[in-house]
Coordinates of all heavy atoms in Angstrom, one line a residue:
M1 N 14.2 11.6 -3.2 CA 13.2 10.7 -2.7 C 13.2 9.4 -3.6 O 13.3 9.5 -4.8 CB 11.8 11.3 -2.8 CG 10.7 10.4 -2.4 SD 9.0 11.1 -2.6 CE 9.1 12.6 -1.7
R2 N 13.1 8.3 -3.0 CA 13.0 7.0 -3.7 C 11.6 6.8 -4.2 O 10.7 7.2 -3.6 CB 13.4 5.8 -2.8 CG 14.9 5.9 -2.4 CD 15.2 4.7 -1.5 NE 14.6 4.9 -0.2 CZ 14.5 4.0 0.7 NH1 15.0 2.8 0.5 NH2 13.9 4.3 1.9
R3 N 11.5 6.2 -5.4 CA 10.2 5.9 -5.9 C 10.1 4.3 -6.1 O 11.1 3.7 -6.6 CB 10.0 6.5 -7.3 CG 10.0 8.1 -7.1 CD 9.7 8.7 -8.4 NE 10.8 8.5 -9.3 CZ 10.9 8.8 -10.6 NH1 9.8 9.4 -11.2 NH2 11.9 8.5 -11.4
I4 N 9.0 3.8 -5.7 CA 8.8 2.3 -5.9 C 7.5 2.0 -6.4 O 6.5 2.8 -6.4 CB 9.0 1.6 -4.5 CG1 8.0 2.0 -3.5 CG2 10.4 1.8 -4.0 CD1 8.0 1.2 -2.2
V5 N 7.3 0.8 -7.0 CA 6.1 0.2 -7.4 C 5.9 -1.0 -6.6 O 6.8 -1.9 -6.5 CB 6.0 -0.1 -8.9 CG1 4.7 -0.8 -9.3 CG2 6.3 1.2 -9.7
L6 N 4.7 -1.2 -5.9 CA 4.4 -2.4 -5.2 C 3.3 -3.1 -5.8 O 2.2 -2.5 -6.0 CB 4.1 -2.1 -3.7 CG 5.1 -1.5 -2.8 CD1 4.6 -1.2 -1.5 CD2 6.3 -2.5 -2.7
D7 N 3.5 -4.4 -6.1 CA 2.3 -5.1 -6.6 C 1.4 -5.4 -5.3 O 1.8 -5.1 -4.2 CB 2.6 -6.4 -7.3 CG 3.1 -7.5 -6.4 OD1 3.1 -7.5 -5.2 OD2 3.6 -8.5 -7.0
T8 N 0.2 -5.8 -5.5 CA -0.8 -5.9 -4.4 C -0.3 -6.9 -3.3 O -0.5 -6.6 -2.2 CB -2.1 -6.4 -5.0 OG1 -2.5 -5.5 -6.1 CG2 -3.2 -6.3 -3.9
N9 N 0.3 -8.0 -3.7 CA 0.8 -8.9 -2.7 C 1.9 -8.3 -1.8 O 1.9 -8.5 -0.6 CB 1.3 -10.2 -3.3 CG 0.2 -11.0 -3.9 OD1 -0.9 -11.1 -3.3 ND2 0.5 -11.7 -5.0
C10 N 2.8 -7.5 -2.4 CA 3.8 -6.8 -1.7 C 3.2 -5.8 -0.8 O 3.6 -5.6 0.4 CB 4.8 -6.2 -2.6 SG 5.8 -7.4 -3.5
L11 N 2.2 -5.0 -1.3 CA 1.6 -4.0 -0.5 C 0.9 -4.7 0.8 O 1.1 -4.2 1.9 CB 0.5 -3.3 -1.3 CG -0.4 -2.3 -0.5 CD1 0.5 -1.1 -0.1 CD2 -1.6 -1.9 -1.2
L12 N 0.3 -5.8 0.6 CA -0.3 -6.5 1.7 C 0.7 -6.9 2.8 O 0.4 -6.9 4.0 CB -1.1 -7.7 1.2 CG -2.4 -7.5 0.5 CD1 -2.9 -8.8 -0.1 CD2 -3.4 -6.9 1.4
Q13 N 1.9 -7.2 2.3 CA 3.0 -7.6 3.3 C 3.5 -6.4 4.1 O 4.0 -6.6 5.2 CB 4.1 -8.2 2.5 CG 3.8 -9.6 1.9 CD 3.5 -10.6 3.0 OE1 4.2 -10.7 4.0 NE2 2.4 -11.3 2.8
T14 N 3.3 -5.2 3.6 CA 3.8 -4.0 4.3 C 2.9 -3.4 5.3 O 3.3 -2.7 6.2 CB 4.2 -2.8 3.3 OG1 2.9 -2.3 2.7 CG2 5.1 -3.3 2.2
L15 N 1.6 -3.8 5.3 CA 0.6 -3.2 6.1 C 0.7 -3.6 7.6 O 0.5 -2.8 8.5 CB -0.8 -3.4 5.6 CG -1.0 -2.7 4.2 CD1 -2.4 -3.0 3.7 CD2 -0.7 -1.2 4.2
P16 N 0.8 -4.9 7.9 CA 0.8 -5.3 9.4 C 1.9 -4.7 10.1 O 3.1 -4.7 9.7 CB 0.9 -6.8 9.3 CG 0.5 -7.2 8.0 CD 0.9 -6.1 7.1
S17 N 1.7 -4.1 11.3 CA 2.7 -3.4 12.0 C 3.8 -4.4 12.5 O 5.0 -3.9 12.7 CB 2.1 -2.7 13.2 OG 1.5 -3.6 14.1
R18 N 3.5 -5.7 12.6 CA 4.6 -6.6 13.0 C 5.3 -7.2 11.8 O 6.2 -8.0 12.0 CB 3.9 -7.7 13.8 CG 3.4 -7.3 15.1 CD 2.8 -8.4 15.9 NE 2.3 -7.8 17.2 CZ 1.8 -8.5 18.1 NH1 1.7 -9.8 18.0 NH2 1.4 -8.0 19.2
S19 N 5.0 -6.8 10.6 CA 5.7 -7.4 9.4 C 7.1 -6.8 9.3 O 7.3 -5.6 9.6 CB 4.9 -6.9 8.2 OG 5.7 -7.2 7.0
P20 N 8.0 -7.6 8.9 CA 9.4 -7.1 8.7 C 9.4 -6.1 7.6 O 10.4 -5.3 7.4 CB 10.2 -8.3 8.4 CG 9.3 -9.4 7.9 CD 7.9 -9.1 8.6
Y21 N 8.4 -6.0 6.8 CA 8.3 -5.0 5.7 C 7.5 -3.8 6.0 O 7.4 -2.9 5.1 CB 7.7 -5.7 4.4 CG 8.5 -7.0 4.1 CD1 7.8 -8.2 4.3 CD2 9.7 -7.0 3.6 CE1 8.5 -9.4 4.1 CE2 10.4 -8.2 3.3 CZ 9.8 -9.4 3.6 OH 10.4 -10.6 3.3
H22 N 7.0 -3.7 7.2 CA 6.2 -2.5 7.5 C 6.9 -1.2 7.4 O 6.3 -0.2 7.1 CB 5.6 -2.7 9.0 CG 4.7 -1.6 9.4 ND1 3.4 -1.5 8.8 CD2 4.8 -0.6 10.3 CE1 2.8 -0.5 9.3 NE2 3.6 0.1 10.2
K23 N 8.2 -1.2 7.6 CA 9.0 0.0 7.4 C 8.7 0.7 6.0 O 8.7 1.9 5.9 CB 10.4 -0.2 7.7 CG 11.3 1.0 7.6 CD 12.7 0.8 8.1 CE 13.6 2.0 7.9 NZ 13.2 3.2 8.6
I24 N 8.5 -0.1 5.0 CA 8.3 0.4 3.7 C 7.0 1.2 3.7 O 7.0 2.4 3.2 CB 8.1 -0.7 2.6 CG1 9.5 -1.4 2.5 CG2 7.7 -0.2 1.3 CD1 9.4 -2.7 1.7
W25 N 5.9 0.7 4.3 CA 4.7 1.5 4.4 C 4.8 2.7 5.2 O 4.3 3.8 4.8 CB 3.6 0.6 5.0 CG 2.3 1.3 5.0 CD1 1.5 1.7 6.1 CD2 1.5 1.7 3.8 NE1 0.4 2.3 5.6 CE2 0.4 2.3 4.3 CE3 1.7 1.6 2.5 CZ2 -0.6 2.9 3.4 CZ3 0.7 2.1 1.6 CH2 -0.4 2.7 2.1
T26 N 5.5 2.7 6.3 CA 5.7 3.9 7.2 C 6.5 4.9 6.4 O 6.3 6.1 6.5 CB 6.3 3.5 8.5 OG1 7.6 2.9 8.4 CG2 5.5 2.6 9.4
E27 N 7.5 4.5 5.6 CA 8.3 5.4 4.8 C 7.4 6.1 3.7 O 7.6 7.3 3.4 CB 9.5 4.7 4.2 CG 10.5 4.2 5.2 CD 11.3 5.4 5.8 OE1 11.9 6.2 5.1 OE2 11.3 5.5 7.1
V28 N 6.5 5.3 3.1 CA 5.6 5.8 2.1 C 4.7 6.9 2.8 O 4.5 8.0 2.3 CB 4.7 4.7 1.5 CG1 3.6 5.3 0.7 CG2 5.6 3.8 0.6
M29 N 4.1 6.5 3.9 CA 3.2 7.4 4.6 C 3.9 8.7 5.1 O 3.3 9.8 5.2 CB 2.5 6.7 5.7 CG 1.6 5.6 5.2 SD 0.4 6.1 3.9 CE -0.7 7.2 4.8
A30 N 5.2 8.6 5.4 CA 5.9 9.7 5.9 C 6.4 10.6 4.8 O 7.0 11.7 5.0 CB 7.1 9.3 6.8
G31 N 6.3 10.1 3.5 CA 6.7 10.9 2.4 C 8.1 10.7 2.0 O 8.7 11.5 1.1
R32 N 8.8 9.8 2.6 CA 10.2 9.5 2.2 C 10.4 8.6 1.0 O 11.5 8.5 0.4 CB 11.0 9.0 3.5 CG 11.1 10.1 4.5 CD 12.0 9.6 5.7 NE 11.3 8.7 6.6 CZ 10.5 9.1 7.6 NH1 10.3 10.4 7.8 NH2 9.9 8.2 8.3
I33 N 9.3 7.8 0.8 CA 9.3 7.0 -0.4 C 8.0 7.3 -1.2 O 7.0 7.5 -0.6 CB 9.3 5.5 -0.1 CG1 10.6 5.0 0.6 CG2 9.0 4.6 -1.3 CD1 10.6 3.6 1.1
S34 N 8.2 7.5 -2.5 CA 7.0 7.7 -3.3 C 6.5 6.4 -3.9 O 7.3 5.7 -4.6 CB 7.4 8.7 -4.4 OG 6.3 9.0 -5.3
L35 N 5.3 6.1 -3.7 CA 4.7 4.9 -4.3 C 4.1 5.3 -5.6 O 3.2 6.1 -5.7 CB 3.6 4.4 -3.3 CG 2.9 3.1 -3.7 CD1 4.0 1.9 -3.8 CD2 1.9 2.7 -2.6
C36 N 4.6 4.7 -6.7 CA 4.2 5.0 -8.0 C 3.1 4.1 -8.4 O 3.2 2.9 -8.5 CB 5.4 4.9 -9.0 SG 6.8 5.9 -8.6
V37 N 1.9 4.7 -8.7 CA 0.7 4.0 -9.0 C 0.0 4.7 -10.2 O 0.2 5.9 -10.4 CB -0.2 3.8 -7.8 CG1 0.4 3.0 -6.7 CG2 -0.7 5.1 -7.3
N38 N -0.9 4.0 -10.8 CA -1.9 4.6 -11.7 C -3.3 4.1 -11.3 O -3.4 3.4 -10.3 CB -1.5 4.2 -13.2 CG -1.6 2.7 -13.4 OD1 -2.3 2.0 -12.7 ND2 -0.8 2.3 -14.4
S39 N -4.3 4.5 -12.0 CA -5.6 4.2 -11.6 C -5.9 2.7 -11.6 O -6.6 2.2 -10.8 CB -6.7 4.9 -12.5 OG -6.5 4.6 -13.8
D40 N -5.3 2.0 -12.5 CA -5.4 0.5 -12.6 C -4.9 -0.2 -11.3 O -5.5 -1.0 -10.7 CB -4.8 -0.1 -13.8 CG -5.5 0.3 -15.1 OD1 -6.7 0.5 -15.1 OD2 -4.8 0.3 -16.1
I41 N -3.7 0.3 -10.9 CA -3.1 -0.3 -9.7 C -3.9 0.1 -8.5 O -4.2 -0.8 -7.6 CB -1.6 0.2 -9.5 CG1 -0.7 -0.3 -10.7 CG2 -1.1 -0.1 -8.2 CD1 0.7 0.3 -10.7
L42 N -4.4 1.3 -8.4 CA -5.2 1.7 -7.2 C -6.5 0.9 -7.2 O -6.9 0.5 -6.1 CB -5.5 3.2 -7.3 CG -4.4 4.1 -6.9 CD1 -4.8 5.6 -7.1 CD2 -3.9 3.9 -5.5
N43 N -7.1 0.7 -8.3 CA -8.3 -0.1 -8.3 C -8.1 -1.6 -7.9 O -8.8 -2.1 -7.1 CB -8.9 -0.1 -9.7 CG -9.6 1.2 -10.1 OD1 -9.9 2.0 -9.3 ND2 -9.7 1.5 -11.4
E44 N -6.9 -2.1 -8.3 CA -6.6 -3.5 -7.9 C -6.3 -3.5 -6.4 O -6.7 -4.4 -5.7 CB -5.3 -4.0 -8.6 CG -5.0 -5.4 -8.2 CD -3.8 -6.0 -9.0 OE1 -3.7 -5.7 -10.2 OE2 -3.0 -6.7 -8.3
Y45 N -5.6 -2.5 -5.9 CA -5.3 -2.4 -4.4 C -6.6 -2.4 -3.7 O -6.8 -3.2 -2.7 CB -4.6 -1.1 -4.0 CG -3.1 -1.0 -4.3 CD1 -2.5 0.2 -4.1 CD2 -2.4 -2.1 -4.8 CE1 -1.1 0.3 -4.4 CE2 -1.0 -1.9 -5.1 CZ -0.4 -0.7 -4.9 OH 0.9 -0.6 -5.1
E46 N -7.6 -1.6 -4.1 CA -8.8 -1.4 -3.4 C -9.6 -2.7 -3.5 O -10.2 -3.2 -2.5 CB -9.6 -0.3 -4.0 CG -10.8 0.1 -3.1 CD -11.4 1.4 -3.5 OE1 -10.9 2.1 -4.4 OE2 -12.4 1.8 -2.9
E47 N -9.7 -3.4 -4.6 CA -10.4 -4.6 -4.8 C -9.9 -5.7 -3.9 O -10.6 -6.4 -3.2 CB -10.4 -5.0 -6.3 CG -11.1 -6.3 -6.5 CD -11.0 -6.7 -8.0 OE1 -10.8 -5.9 -8.9 OE2 -11.0 -8.0 -8.3
I48 N -8.6 -5.9 -3.9 CA -8.0 -7.0 -3.2 C -8.0 -6.7 -1.7 O -8.3 -7.6 -0.9 CB -6.5 -7.3 -3.7 CG1 -6.5 -7.7 -5.1 CG2 -5.8 -8.3 -2.8 CD1 -7.3 -8.9 -5.5
L49 N -7.7 -5.5 -1.3 CA -7.8 -5.1 0.1 C -9.2 -5.3 0.7 O -9.4 -5.7 1.8 CB -7.3 -3.7 0.4 CG -5.8 -3.6 0.2 CD1 -5.4 -2.1 0.2 CD2 -5.1 -4.3 1.4
A50 N -10.2 -5.0 -0.1 CA -11.6 -5.2 0.3 C -11.9 -6.7 0.6 O -12.6 -7.1 1.5 CB -12.6 -4.7 -0.7
E51 N -11.3 -7.6 -0.2 CA -11.4 -9.0 0.0 C -10.7 -9.5 1.2 O -11.1 -10.3 1.9 CB -10.9 -9.8 -1.3 CG -11.8 -9.6 -2.5 CD -11.1 -10.3 -3.7 OE1 -10.2 -11.1 -3.5 OE2 -11.6 -10.0 -4.8
K52 N -9.4 -9.0 1.3 CA -8.5 -9.5 2.4 C -8.7 -8.9 3.7 O -8.4 -9.5 4.8 CB -7.1 -9.4 2.0 CG -6.7 -10.0 0.7 CD -6.5 -11.5 0.8 CE -6.0 -12.1 -0.5 NZ -5.8 -13.5 -0.4
T53 N -9.2 -7.6 3.8 CA -9.3 -6.9 5.0 C -10.8 -6.5 5.2 O -11.6 -7.3 5.4 CB -8.4 -5.7 5.1 OG1 -8.7 -4.8 4.1 CG2 -6.9 -6.1 5.0
N54 N -11.1 -5.2 4.9 CA -12.5 -4.8 4.9 C -12.6 -3.5 4.0 O -11.6 -3.0 3.6 CB -13.0 -4.5 6.3 CG -12.3 -3.3 7.0 OD1 -12.2 -2.3 6.5 ND2 -11.8 -3.6 8.2
A55 N -13.8 -3.2 3.7 CA -14.0 -2.1 2.7 C -13.4 -0.8 3.2 O -13.0 0.0 2.4 CB -15.5 -2.0 2.4
E56 N -13.5 -0.5 4.5 CA -13.0 0.8 5.0 C -11.5 0.9 4.8 O -11.0 1.9 4.4 CB -13.4 0.9 6.5 CG -12.9 2.2 7.1 CD -13.5 3.5 6.5 OE1 -14.6 3.3 5.8 OE2 -13.0 4.6 6.8
I57 N -10.8 -0.1 5.1 CA -9.3 -0.1 4.9 C -9.0 0.0 3.4 O -8.1 0.8 3.0 CB -8.6 -1.4 5.5 CG1 -8.7 -1.3 7.0 CG2 -7.2 -1.5 5.0 CD1 -8.2 -2.6 7.7
A58 N -9.7 -0.7 2.6 CA -9.5 -0.6 1.2 C -9.8 0.8 0.7 O -9.0 1.4 -0.2 CB -10.4 -1.6 0.4
R59 N -10.8 1.5 1.2 CA -11.1 2.8 0.8 C -10.0 3.8 1.2 O -9.6 4.7 0.4 CB -12.4 3.3 1.4 CG -12.9 4.6 0.8 CD -14.1 5.2 1.6 NE -13.8 5.3 3.0 CZ -13.1 6.4 3.5 NH1 -12.5 7.2 2.7 NH2 -12.9 6.5 4.8
I60 N -9.5 3.6 2.4 CA -8.4 4.5 2.9 C -7.2 4.4 2.1 O -6.6 5.3 1.7 CB -8.1 4.2 4.4 CG1 -9.3 4.7 5.2 CG2 -6.9 4.9 4.8 CD1 -9.3 4.2 6.7
I61 N -6.8 3.1 1.8 CA -5.5 2.9 1.0 C -5.7 3.4 -0.4 O -4.9 4.0 -1.0 CB -5.2 1.4 1.0 CG1 -4.9 0.9 2.4 CG2 -4.0 1.1 0.1 CD1 -3.8 1.5 3.1
G62 N -6.9 3.1 -1.0 CA -7.2 3.6 -2.3 C -7.2 5.1 -2.5 O -6.9 5.6 -3.6
A63 N -7.5 5.8 -1.4 CA -7.6 7.2 -1.5 C -6.3 7.9 -1.0 O -6.2 9.1 -1.0 CB -8.8 7.7 -0.6
S64 N -5.3 7.2 -0.5 CA -4.1 7.7 0.0 C -3.3 8.5 -1.0 O -3.2 8.1 -2.2 CB -3.2 6.7 0.6 OG -3.7 6.1 1.7
P65 N -2.8 9.7 -0.7 CA -2.1 10.5 -1.7 C -0.6 10.1 -1.8 O 0.2 10.7 -1.1 CB -2.2 11.9 -1.1 CG -2.3 11.7 0.4 CD -3.0 10.4 0.6
Y66 N -0.4 9.0 -2.5 CA 1.0 8.5 -2.6 C 1.9 9.5 -3.3 O 3.0 9.5 -3.3 CB 1.0 7.2 -3.4 CG 0.1 6.2 -2.8 CD1 -1.0 5.7 -3.5 CD2 0.3 5.6 -1.5 CE1 -1.8 4.8 -3.0 CE2 -0.5 4.7 -1.0 CZ -1.6 4.3 -1.7 OH -2.4 3.3 -1.2

């Protein structure tokens, strides 16, 4: 299994289904890529996603079992 670290801007690029980078997110969610994070990264994901999208999406991403 491949392991990657995504900064918040890169993560944002993977989420839209029409993004050329969406395959990265689908691979993470399918368990074929391991997203390496710590609590600081998860907190940043949640904070920025809440600003850019909405609190529900931020909560879901922040709680995902990478």
Side-chain angles (χ1 to χ4, degrees):
M1 177 185 305
R2 293 180 290 169
R3 295 183 297 171
I4 63 171
V5 176
L6 291 177
D7 73 10
T8 307
N9 290 323
C10 292
L11 176 69
L12 287 169
Q13 292 296 312
T14 68
L15 298 178
S17 60
R18 294 183 180 181
S19 168
Y21 308 107
H22 185 69
K23 182 169 175 59
I24 295 169
W25 183 248
T26 59
E27 295 287 306
V28 168
M29 295 308 294
R32 291 185 284 274
I33 295 176
S34 177
L35 185 57
C36 300
V37 297
N38 60 25
S39 59
D40 291 332
I41 293 171
L42 285 175
N43 288 336
E44 181 178 322
Y45 284 176
E46 192 167 357
E47 179 183 331
I48 300 302
L49 286 168
E51 291 174 13
K52 302 281 186 183
T53 61
N54 66 53
E56 180 63 16
I57 291 173
R59 187 190 60 74
I60 291 167
I61 300 296
S64 292
Y66 306 113

